[in-house]
Amino acid sequence: GLSDKFLIRWRGNFNFTGGKYTFSLPDDISVDDGVKVVIGDSVYGNRAIIDRLSNCWSTCDPLSVSGFDISPGVHTVTVLLKKMPGMPD
C-alpha cells in the first residue's frame, strides 16, 4: 500500500526586486506535520524563513513572516513539507 510518511521538496528560482517581503503558508491544518522554507541569497546567505519541521499542530499557526529582507535578483526558494503516519490531516 501507499505510505503515509513522506517528505516533499519544491524548489524554484524567483526574481525579487529587493526589499522587505512577507511569506505565508496555508493554515496550520495543511502543514501540521512540519514545514521549512529556505531562500538562497548571495548577500544574506542561505536562510530559513520558516523552520518548523517538527510536528507543530498548534505552533504552526500562523505561518507568516513579514519584513524579511531579500536582495535584488534571482534567488532559489526551497519548501520542504513533511507528512507523518497517524497524524490527522
Side-chain angles (χ1 to χ4, degrees):
L2 297 175
S3 174
D4 193 27
K5 178 181 179 181
F6 54 86
L7 181 67
I8 297 172
R9 179 178 60 198
W10 291 280
R11 181 177 287 155
N13 294 314
F14 299 91
N15 191 16
F16 292 89
T17 58
K20 295 191 181 296
Y21 286 81
T22 297
F23 291 86
S24 299
L25 292 169
D27 62 40
D28 63 323
I29 300 301
S30 54
V31 294
D32 62 349
D33 292 348
V35 64
K36 184 172 187 175
V37 179
V38 177
I39 186 165
D41 190 313
S42 59
V43 173
Y44 297 108
N46 290 336
R47 296 178 294 158
I49 299 169
I50 297 172
D51 192 358
R52 303 258 177 86
L53 273 180
S54 61
N55 299 335
C56 58
W57 292 304
S58 62
T59 60
C60 282
D61 187 20
L63 277 177
S64 182
V65 175
S66 59
F68 196 86
D69 286 317
I70 299 177
S71 65
V74 176
H75 303 289
T76 301
V77 177
T78 304
V79 178
L80 299 169
L81 180 65
K82 182 173 78 170
K83 175 69 178 122
M84 296 299 292
M87 301 294 182
D89 291 326

